[in-house]
Amino acid sequence: MNKNNMICDLETGVCGVGGEEEMELVDFNQLEKKITLYYVTDPICSHCWALEPVLKRFVEQYGHYFKFQTVMGGLLPSWNGFADKTNGIGGPSDVAGHWREVGVYARMPIDGNVWIQNPIQSSFPPSLVFKVIQQKDEQLADTYLRRAREAVFLFNQNIGDNQVLTNIVNAMNLDGASIVKEADLSSGRELLDEDFKLSRKLGVRGFPTIIMVNEENKGIKIVGARSIEEYVKGLQEVLSTSEEIKAQPPRPLKKILENESLLFSKEIEEMYGLEKHEVKEFIKKELPTEMYEINEILDELYIKTR
């Protein structure tokens, strides 16, 4: 990857019922996930944050077709030699305005002041912690990645700092100190290097990139933050079937919030096909009042568990 030609483009955007028959024929082949979906990303990738609403819905409604695997891509090894000439980024302070622009465009809030107040020097520390947690539990690792992004994009926490990372992991009821310590070992770097090797093998040059691969080792690569329709189309193609793939209905909002803890209006709109003005009423209808609190940040509504 040529660090001096990194590009982030807003336009392209470079997670027993009754009524059964007594006897029925069941095709158990449908239960086997024959597609692997690689989500190549980075904890400080702003367009990956912008993709969250669509990716969350795609996994929720079509995840029964594929095995989901998050791969770290290594966006910022250090500031030595790094530049994004297209967006006028040559140093940390240049990132703040670009991040805010992405946040407004995608309606996934980004403050950006971390780059002025306490700039991140590398995205490798949060990536290393991700890999250590992923070795123990893949779902917990994806939860950690979400929490780390909330910390940096919303609350201006420097997730390149070990104490910040320790606090994030502790809040998940894990041993933050031991996990961050393990991430600093050579074994942690070996895990991360395996992801970088896989990323290169998959031909990834920008983030987010989603690659879906079938049993015949043929696949579809989709670069940038795209619409749900494009991911569904890609999945249909890689399944190599004329039969139209079927979306599962999303779980109730209560169940999703229990897993996520914090959801933005844009995520709720995308998941349930709502307009922005319909979200507050939908929340009131779906959630018991004692379960959540509703707030705004950077002119965007969000809910979180109490």
Side-chain angles (χ1 to χ4, degrees), residues 160-299:
D161 180 84
N162 279 353
Q163 188 56 57
V164 171
L165 292 172
T166 299
N167 294 341
I168 292 169
V169 177
N170 282 341
M172 297 172 57
N173 296 318
L174 300 173
D175 187 341
S178 66
I179 287 174
V180 170
K181 184 178 180 180
E182 186 178 347
D184 281 337
L185 299 176
S186 60
S187 57
R189 183 54 195 255
E190 288 171 5
L191 290 172
L192 189 57
D193 284 341
E194 287 175 8
D195 268 20
F196 295 165
K197 183 178 178 181
L198 176 58
S199 178
R200 289 192 297 269
K201 182 180 178 182
L202 293 169
V204 175
R205 301 178 63 187
F207 315 113
T209 293
I210 286 180
I211 298 172
M212 291 176 269
V213 182
N214 62 23
E215 285 184 315
E216 298 174 349
N217 213 29
K218 296 179 180 178
I220 296 287
K221 179 167 73 172
I222 303 173
V223 182
R226 304 294 180 177
S227 68
I228 184 74
E229 290 78 15
E230 290 184 70
Y231 294 114
V232 172
K233 180 182 177 183
L235 178 60
Q236 181 80 61
E237 289 183 21
V238 81
L239 281 167
S240 301
T241 176
S242 57
E243 185 177 335
E244 185 176 354
I245 59 176
K246 296 178 181 178
Q248 290 184 335
R251 290 169 296 160
L253 180 60
K254 183 176 184 290
K255 291 293 184 184
I256 292 179
L257 184 60
E258 285 173 350
N259 290 344
E260 299 290 341
S261 298
L262 187 154
L263 289 169
F264 290 98
S265 177
K266 181 64 177 178
E267 295 178 295
I268 298 170
E269 293 164 40
E270 180 68 41
M271 185 68 74
Y272 298 101
L274 302 173
E275 297 294 329
K276 183 178 180 180
H277 70 271
E278 298 174 316
V279 170
K280 279 189 177 180
E281 195 60 39
F282 180 77
I283 292 169
K284 289 178 183 178
K285 184 183 72 172
E286 294 290 320
L287 300 177
T289 54
E290 66 274 11
M291 179 185 179
Y292 72 96
E293 59 183 64
I294 189 165
N295 296 290
E296 283 194 8
I297 188 168
L298 300 174
D299 298 321

Side-chain angles (χ1 to χ4, degrees), residues 27-38 62-68 211-220 234-235 237-241:
D27 182 2
F28 285 101
N29 288 322
Q30 294 177 359
L31 302 180
E32 184 180 352
K33 297 182 180 182
K34 298 183 178 181
I35 304 295
T36 300
L37 185 151
Y38 298 101
Y62 297 92
H64 52 292
Y65 286 105
F66 53 79
K67 178 183 181 297
F68 188 90
I211 298 172
M212 291 176 269
V213 182
N214 62 23
E215 285 184 315
E216 298 174 349
N217 213 29
K218 296 179 180 178
I220 296 287
L235 178 60
E237 289 183 21
V238 81
L239 281 167
S240 301
T241 176

